[in-house]
Amino acid sequence: MEHKSVLIIGGGIAGIQASLDLANRGFQVYLVEKSPSIGGRMAQLDKTFPTMDCSMCILAPKMIECGHHPNVKLLTYSEVKEVKGSVGNFKVKVLKKPRFVDESKCTGCGICSEKCPIKVPNEFDMNLGMRKTIYMPFLQAVPRVATIDKDNCLLFQKGVCEICQKFCQAGAVDFDQQPEEITLNVGAIIVATGFDMFNPEQIPPFGYKRYKDVITAMELERLLCASGPTGGQLVRPSDGKMPKSIAFIQCVGSRDRREWINNAYCSSICCKYAVKDAVLIKEHDSHAMITIFYIDMRAFGRGFQEFVNRAKAEYGINFTRSNPGEITEDPETKRLTIWFEDNVTRTVKSLTFDLVVLCTALVPRKDSAELAKTLGIETDNYRFFKSPDLISRPVDTTVPGIFACGYCLGPKTGDIPDSVTQASAAAARIAEVLAEVTKQ
Amino acid sequence: MDEAKVGAFPARARADFMHEVANTPRGRGVLLCIQCGRCTNSCPVARTTDEYNPRKLVETVILGLRKEVLLGNLPRYCLSCFTCLDRCPQGGDIGEVMFAIRNLAAKEGNVPEGIIVQAKNLFETGRVVTPTRMALIQRERYGLSKDISIGIDEAQKILKKTSFVELISKKV
């Protein structure tokens, strides 16, 4: 019977899609997610390109379906610690970190978060907004269960408080919860761990973190999102006013071969998301002056070039083919000056902006090398997981029975539809491989 | 280069010019260039004059416009501050490429007057700059010889063997 169960690592859109595909085929799916809720990167986005559909409106039904599916067992706030065995018979040890909230009792009413006295920056909002120490990462979280952040909780750090326990009507708060080790027996594994965003502090001339109004595209995404820290108001982090002129800088950390960065690849989605964000800003404020500084506009795929053309013609967004080397800030007005080469006159000019958005590269997860070691699979020189044959078996890894999908396979997959396609492909491969193993 | 020149380029373009530059000891950077323009946008010279634009100069090299590059004066605008080397995402050393082009230009006989004077000084006295009276007094104070002509013949031997003399005498 163990041939009918599958482990999926990573609860982003790729992991969710693979889980649903396999669960609907009758497989028992264990979905392991590191953070308190499934949803991943797509949950953080406001809109998806090029159709400008609401990201959460597409994702949330899938998340809920995943959460309620009889064949899917969610293991959130958990990590894979050990994998042994081979295709058809993997023995997996999963460490379930203590939430200090009983998942079976919590109703997700949210009164604990309301009463909790400690506020900390919210990772889900890219640290722009605040959350409580007992929290649900976002409104549509699945499972709808609160989690206590032990590192900031007053009870764990100073030994006083317990307010959440007093107010919880369901009696779900349990400060004595211990880490739990779960042993699973599965036939095959899918890795869908996704990506991290490149940290632009590695390129000091751009002044990220030194200048408040230099933000990353992911931070902009949260600022533009109606459920974000500002309720969808686009504001400058320095003074809280609406920015009138905005610059986007492409290829921050991608196509960069310098030794300490070593990302020679093109991340393949930055051009598209920059244009999307620019159009979103124009929809917020039609008078905003937007300039996109790019190296090459790589808007390939169905509907993307048309989208770029529309951004130019309908929305009046300026595209300048020149990549700035540095940003300087006026210490008084906090406005940011960028030197660039004018495309028409080919002379060097400077422009001043209220807000600069760095379109950062997508890089492998910090712990991808560690996970690869646990699973015994190989990674390429960027630490993305490696397929033995990119052309005929693109979702396989170097170990039979372990498959991968989504961006953890590297930048050949661009956008959400690609990740979903790969997830379904990996699910189909698992069905095929496990059928063969069972026959033998 | 302006539009008219672009239109006329095929007749004069030398496809191998990029490699000619790249094969000199300091010219490897042209092969890495993706024309992003970060060198130009960080260049302190480019901000003060419209004539000099490192990206455009490398583009001219890539296009193979040998005459324009080697007979022009543009590579000598470079201050060698190497900001471009720091900013270039490809790790291409554009500042070094400027040296490579200057060296190639010198082989074509394109050396500015001032540099010829310095080179001649080097050949005749073993020094680029002849010491002033003040410097000579200082030398004496530190216990160095007042005679600065020691070793000129050895220096000249090296300069002759490395075809330095031919380089500087081409134009004269």
Side-chain angles (χ1 to χ4, degrees):
Chain A
M1 197 50 212
E2 58 258 28
H3 289 166
K4 273 290 204 182
S5 57
V6 176
L7 169 74
I8 292 172
I9 307 169
I13 179 66
I16 290 172
Q17 184 64 40
S19 303
L20 289 177
D21 278 15
L22 286 165
N24 287 338
R25 285 187 141 187
F27 287 87
Q28 171 64 45
V29 175
Y30 298 98
L31 179 54
V32 174
E33 165 61 42
K34 194 166 61 173
S35 66
S37 166
I38 58 169
R41 290 287 176 193
M42 191 177 168
Q44 289 180 292
L45 305 180
D46 181 30
K47 298 278 180 342
T48 61
F49 49 74
T51 47
M52 296 303 229
D53 284 317
C54 160
S55 177
M56 189 52 93
C57 310
I58 303 169
L59 181 66
K62 280 188 190 285
M63 283 164 65
I64 291 164
E65 200 186 336
C66 215
H68 289 293
H69 204 290
N71 286 348
V72 180
K73 170 109 178 82
L74 286 186
L75 296 167
T76 47
Y77 216 45
S78 309
E79 278 170 35
V80 174
K81 284 289 160 200
E82 196 187 290
V83 175
K84 276 184 182 160
S86 60
V87 56
N89 189 15
F90 284 107
K91 289 220 160 38
V92 184
K93 275 186 186 156
V94 177
L95 183 78
K96 201 162 164 41
K97 294 179 274 184
R99 278 173 188 270
F100 305 108
V101 173
D102 192 334
E103 278 182 47
S104 56
K105 287 184 188 161
C106 180
T107 57
C109 67
I111 189 129
C112 49
S113 304
E114 213 174 280
K115 300 292 179 188
C116 177
I118 301 293
K119 272 185 179 175
V120 290
N122 190 352
E123 305 87 356
F124 183 78
D125 284 337
M126 303 308 285
N127 297 333
L128 291 169
M130 302 299 261
R131 63 160 170 84
K132 299 293 182 65
T133 40
I134 180 162
Y135 68 107
M136 273 174 280
F138 51 100
L139 283 172
Q140 299 85 350
V142 172
R144 213 173 148 68
V145 175
T147 305
I148 294 179
D149 165 12
K150 195 178 169 185
D151 297 336
N152 296 303
C153 178
L154 272 184
L155 183 76
F156 287 103
Q157 299 305 320
K158 300 208 171 126
V160 287
C161 188
E162 298 186 23
I163 289 176
C164 47
Q165 198 172 36
K166 275 172 212 147
F167 279 94
C168 181
Q169 288 176 343
V173 179
D174 172 12
F175 292 113
D176 300 322
Q177 220 174 53
Q178 294 300 320
E180 195 185 333
E181 200 173 77
I182 301 165
T183 311
L184 303 172
N185 201 343
V186 295
I189 299 171
I190 292 183
V191 192
T193 48
F195 58 88
D196 270 342
M197 298 305 283
F198 174 79
N199 179 6
E201 277 178 282
Q202 291 179 49
I203 307 180
F206 287 142
Y208 179 67
K209 289 273 162 81
R210 257 189 303 140
Y211 308 146
K212 272 190 173 172
D213 294 333
V214 177
I215 61 172
T216 65
M218 204 52 161
E219 289 168 0
L220 177 76
E221 199 80 45
R222 290 313 298 156
L223 284 177
L224 288 170
C225 187
S227 68
T230 55
Q233 288 291 319
L234 177 63
V235 294
R236 292 174 80 195
S238 66
D239 58 5
K241 284 185 192 145
M242 205 157 169
K244 287 281 159 217
S245 53
I246 298 129
F248 284 84
I249 299 179
Q250 299 290 114
C251 293
V252 177
S254 49
R255 304 178 73 190
D256 200 322
R257 310 213 299 200
R258 285 178 281 183
E259 270 169 38
W260 70 94
I261 296 170
N262 186 26
N263 293 338
Y265 59 86
C266 163
S267 290
S268 80
I269 65 161
C270 319
C271 289
K272 303 173 201 171
Y273 74 60
V275 177
K276 175 197 75 177
D277 286 342
V279 168
L280 276 178
I281 293 172
K282 274 282 186 187
E283 282 175 357
H284 275 62
D285 172 14
S286 59
H287 298 298
M289 268 275 305
I290 300 176
T291 307
I292 298 181
F293 295 104
Y294 67 97
I295 301 179
D296 298 298
M297 188 48 67
R298 293 185 166 173
F300 52 86
R302 179 186 277 179
F304 289 121
Q305 190 57 52
E306 293 91 321
F307 187 55
V308 173
N309 296 347
R310 250 181 67 206
K312 280 183 201 167
E314 277 178 40
Y315 291 93
I317 293 160
N318 304 318
F319 286 75
T320 301
R321 197 207 170 281
S322 186
N323 207 304
E326 65 185 347
I327 301 168
T328 46
E329 188 193 56
D330 182 332
E332 273 170 33
T333 57
K334 302 283 174 201
R335 298 193 79 208
L336 304 154
T337 303
I338 289 179
W339 287 84
F340 67 99
E341 190 187 343
D342 189 298
N343 285 171
V344 182
T345 59
R346 300 238 190 150
T347 52
V348 180
K349 286 181 178 171
S350 71
L351 266 182
T352 307
F353 296 93
D354 291 333
L355 187 75
V356 176
V357 183
L358 304 177
C359 297
T360 48
L362 276 56
V363 294
R365 286 277 184 197
K366 262 200 299 267
D367 49 3
S368 70
E370 204 183 308
L371 181 66
K373 213 177 152 193
T374 311
L375 294 166
I377 59 179
E378 281 175 40
T379 56
D380 64 10
N381 49 348
Y382 304 118
R383 287 188 293 112
F384 285 120
F385 301 130
K386 202 168 164 180
S387 326
D389 186 344
L390 276 175
I391 295 165
S392 58
R393 290 187 296 157
V395 294
D396 286 28
T397 66
T398 46
V399 174
I402 301 183
F403 300 87
C405 57
Y407 211 92
C408 66
L409 272 175
K412 67 179 182 296
T413 62
D415 42 4
I416 294 161
D418 270 357
S419 287
V420 173
T421 312
Q422 284 199 339
S424 292
R429 284 284 289 143
I430 281 199
E432 179 198 340
V433 166
L434 288 188
E436 259 172 44
V437 172
T438 316
K439 240 190 273 167
Q440 290 163 4
Chain B
M1 100 221 60
D2 52 66
E3 292 305 312
K5 278 185 184 168
V6 172
F9 98 82
R12 293 175 288 118
R14 296 270 302 270
D16 56 344
F17 182 48
M18 179 168 84
H19 294 283
E20 188 184 340
V21 175
N23 286 335
T24 60
R26 304 170 95 169
R28 196 189 58 104
V30 277
L31 295 183
L32 297 168
C33 183
I34 57 169
Q35 290 285 306
C36 69
R38 272 194 198 164
C39 43
T40 294
N41 299 334
S42 341
C43 180
V45 182
R47 286 177 195 183
T48 56
T49 170
D50 285 345
E51 283 173 63
Y52 183 64
N53 179 338
R55 183 202 62 75
K56 206 160 109 184
L57 192 61
V58 175
E59 187 186 17
T60 327
V61 172
I62 293 170
L63 288 174
L65 298 172
R66 197 168 184 279
K67 267 189 189 167
E68 274 80 351
V69 177
L70 294 189
L71 300 185
N73 202 19
L74 288 178
R76 295 183 207 282
Y77 279 57
C78 173
L79 287 176
S80 310
C81 69
F82 293 109
T83 309
C84 46
L85 172 63
D86 176 61
R87 306 282 160 82
C88 178
Q90 298 296 301
D93 21 23
I94 298 306
E96 293 282 321
V97 170
M98 296 305 152
F99 279 108
I101 299 174
R102 284 184 218 183
N103 289 342
L104 281 177
K107 276 186 191 159
E108 298 286 313
N110 178 13
V111 188
E113 216 48 51
I115 289 181
I116 296 272
V117 172
Q118 287 184 345
K120 279 191 171 160
N121 260 348
L122 181 64
F123 185 73
E124 281 157 17
T125 65
R127 285 175 165 70
V128 173
V129 183
T130 26
T132 55
R133 210 163 57 87
M134 231 5 244
L136 287 174
I137 294 170
Q138 285 223 337
R139 280 178 68 92
E140 220 177 345
R141 199 178 292 160
Y142 290 122
L144 295 167
S145 157
K146 219 178 177 183
D147 182 15
I148 55 161
S149 61
I150 302 169
I152 290 184
D153 36 336
E154 270 98 345
Q156 284 181 344
K157 226 185 243 173
I158 296 172
L159 293 176
K160 273 179 194 159
K161 280 228 163 172
T162 51
S163 71
F164 181 81
V165 184
E166 288 156 46
L167 273 184
I168 58 165
S169 53
K170 237 180 201 175
K171 200 172 182 180
V172 186

